[in-house]
Each structure stands twice: as structure tokens, then as C-alpha cells.
Amino acid sequence: MADALKIQLPNITGAIALAGDGEENLKILSRQTGATLVLRGQELYISGTEKQIELASRLVRSLEDLWIKGNTISSADILTARQALDSHREDELQELRRDVLAKTRRGEEIRAKTFRQRQYIEAIRKRDLTFCIGPAGTGKTYLAVVVAVQALLANQVEKLILTRPAVEAGEKLGFLPGDLQQKINPYLRPLYDAIYEFIDPEKVPNLMERGVIEVAPLAYMRGRTLNNAFVIVDEAQNTTPAQMKMVLTRLGFRSRMVITGDITQTDLPLNQQSGLTVALQILKNVEGITFCEFSQRDVVRHPLVQRIVAAYEQYEK
């Protein structure tokens, strides 16, 4: 017969945070441990075998510093906590949660959600050139923009340059209304959105006019040397090898560059090699470059995104 354990939660806010939207977190905890978790008001009931109950209880306790404050708990938080328990890295988990990367204009604290995200942030801070490869929703671009904006606001760099190749994902630019800049803006929208989290949207146009912030398609980088700048190349899987070589050789003095992309989602013609894939092969042994790789375990979007990514990974194998 299955055993059961009751955990009395201190307040309803913590109970709601632990359960998650539609009790999604309880379902993830159940999948991770094999135990059944049922929340009744502020009482959490855990049932299963002795081993399952113990693991589920430890996992719930390892998330306590999040749910007790009513903080949103993501699937990545749960998977990272499970990983910490399995590899005896509980102390490192506490460090990861304490290390606040930045605060948004709304006062929301931004921190790494997974161990790999933390390694990525440390690489960006220390290295002049960092590559980050991984699926959608892992925070590749967002975290790079966060570090870049902090560097800009701290006067560590003079300008922030965000660029990506304007390659259509099954759509044609020619059909979009407006001039070239208006046609390209939809491609750059995610970069603008990340900037607006930290800098008042009303101030951004002035910073762009002065060249402090530049958001532009990759073609605009040709022939330039980017000194004292923080450069982020987004969607780099859509570069050609020639474009990738061009942008890498723009790196100037006192500059940092982060290249992000998902090599499973290229929008290039079928016979065209991805510049990102080629660069990974050519540069893998070059000193001074860090390569970070995320997997579906690092997805910090809706839990369903994680399952979609996992299903595609399985299919492509």
C-alpha cells in the first residue's frame, strides 16, 4: 500500500506559487519523482512509495525559497532543482538563486534559471567572444541582451549593437509594406522587446539617434570595425559562412561579441550551409572563445514549449 505525507504550507500565496498555473508545477513534480501531489488549500499531500515521497518532499523543500515569497516557479526551476539533488549541488543551486543579474523597470529580478544559463552568463562577462547554441525558449538572446544593457549602463562599453540576418521564415520581405527599415523591423522585434525591459522605451529612440544603441540587419555590419561595443548576433544559424566570417572579423578593441542561434531551425535554402555550423567546426579549438550549448532542459518558457522541443529532438534523432 502506498504511503502518504502531508506538508503544511505557511500561506495561500506560497501554495499558489508552488502549484503553478493550472497546477502545472505539481504535474511536473509528479513526473520527476513518480509521486502523486495533491494540493488542498494550504495542505500538500504527497503519496507513493517511500522513495518517491522522500524525493518529492526534498524537491518541494529545495524550491521553498521561491514559493514562500510567492515567486513564479518555472519548469526549468524544478528541473534544475532535481539536477542539483541528483548531483549533490544544493549549495550551488542556492548561489544560482541568489545571483541577481539585473532588475527590470518593473522591479522584476532577472537571474539564471539553470546551471547552463549561469555558465553562459559567466562566459559573456569574462570572454570577448561567446557562442551559444540551443533551442527556442532557452534565453540565449534575452540573457545576452540583459548582460549587454548592464554593461552599457555601467559605461563598460560605449554602444550596444544588436544584429541578425534578415532571412525570411517562409515569408517574403517584398510582400511586407513600407521601406527597408520598416520591412526589417519585425525581424528585430524580439531584440527591441528585451531592451525595453531595462530602458524606458521613450529614451530608446534618442539613444539610437546618437548611435549608442543600434539594432540593424547583419548586412549593415560590412566594412566596419566595432570598437568599445557590445555586439549580439542573433539567429546566427541563418548566416552564410561568408556572413559569419565577415561579422566575426568586425570585432574591435575593448569589445565583446555574443553569437546565438539554433542550428536545428535554419531558414536558409536547402543547399546552403549555415555559417554557425561551419564556425563551430572551424573555431572549436581557438583559444579565447567559449561555446555554450543549451538543451530542452534549459527551456524557460511555457512547459508545453519544453515538451515540443523534446518531441522534435526525439523525432530528429
Side-chain angles (χ1 to χ4, degrees), residues 182-225:
Q182 288 171 318
K183 289 182 179 188
I184 285 163
N185 272 345
Y187 290 88
L188 307 173
R189 186 80 251 165
L191 303 179
Y192 285 115
D193 289 344
I195 290 171
Y196 292 155
E197 292 238 322
F198 302 96
I199 300 174
D200 187 339
E202 290 178 9
K203 293 179 182 174
V204 172
N206 176 257
L207 292 170
M208 293 180 81
E209 277 173 33
R210 287 163 42 209
V212 176
I213 294 177
E214 186 177 344
V215 185
L218 197 64
Y220 287 25
M221 300 299 114
R222 194 172 298 280
R224 300 169 62 184
T225 302

Side-chain angles (χ1 to χ4, degrees), residues 38-199:
V38 177
L39 186 67
R40 294 199 182 105
Q42 289 169 226
E43 294 174 343
L44 178 67
Y45 294 89
I46 305 173
S47 58
T49 66
E50 192 178 332
K51 204 171 178 180
Q52 289 169 340
I53 290 170
E54 191 213 352
L55 178 57
S57 174
R58 286 175 66 208
L59 201 45
V60 168
R61 292 295 179 204
S62 74
L63 296 162
E64 187 171 355
D65 59 333
L66 294 175
W67 54 255
I68 204 161
K69 297 175 191 167
N71 290 347
T72 302
I73 295 171
S74 69
S75 56
D77 288 319
I78 298 171
L79 293 176
T80 302
R82 173 67 201 270
Q83 199 181 339
L85 293 179
D86 289 348
S87 53
H88 308 290
R89 294 161 80 185
E90 289 95 331
D91 290 345
E92 199 180 331
L93 180 65
Q94 294 309 312
E95 277 177 41
L96 181 141
R97 296 223 186 106
R98 280 194 298 268
D99 185 9
V100 177
L101 183 57
K103 279 192 178 183
T104 67
R105 290 186 303 109
R106 298 187 305 275
E108 183 186 345
E109 292 181 342
I110 306 296
R111 50 169 67 81
K113 294 271 190 183
T114 70
F115 292 126
R116 281 181 181 156
Q117 283 192 349
R118 190 169 191 227
Q119 289 166 354
Y120 174 47
I121 290 163
E122 286 173 359
I124 298 172
R125 285 169 169 168
K126 291 174 185 173
R127 296 287 192 171
D128 291 340
L129 180 57
T130 305
F131 282 82
C132 187
I133 301 101
T138 48
K140 303 182 298 293
T141 306
Y142 183 76
L143 291 173
V145 172
V146 173
V147 178
V149 169
Q150 299 311 304
L152 183 67
L153 296 176
N155 296 316
Q156 293 170 6
V157 291
E158 288 177 359
K159 54 191 168 188
L160 170 54
I161 298 170
L162 303 161
T163 182
R164 67 195 299 192
V167 175
E168 303 100 316
E171 301 162 17
K172 295 293 178 192
L173 277 176
F175 291 115
L176 293 170
D179 60 21
L180 180 63
Q181 193 60 46
Q182 288 171 318
K183 289 182 179 188
I184 285 163
N185 272 345
Y187 290 88
L188 307 173
R189 186 80 251 165
L191 303 179
Y192 285 115
D193 289 344
I195 290 171
Y196 292 155
E197 292 238 322
F198 302 96
I199 300 174

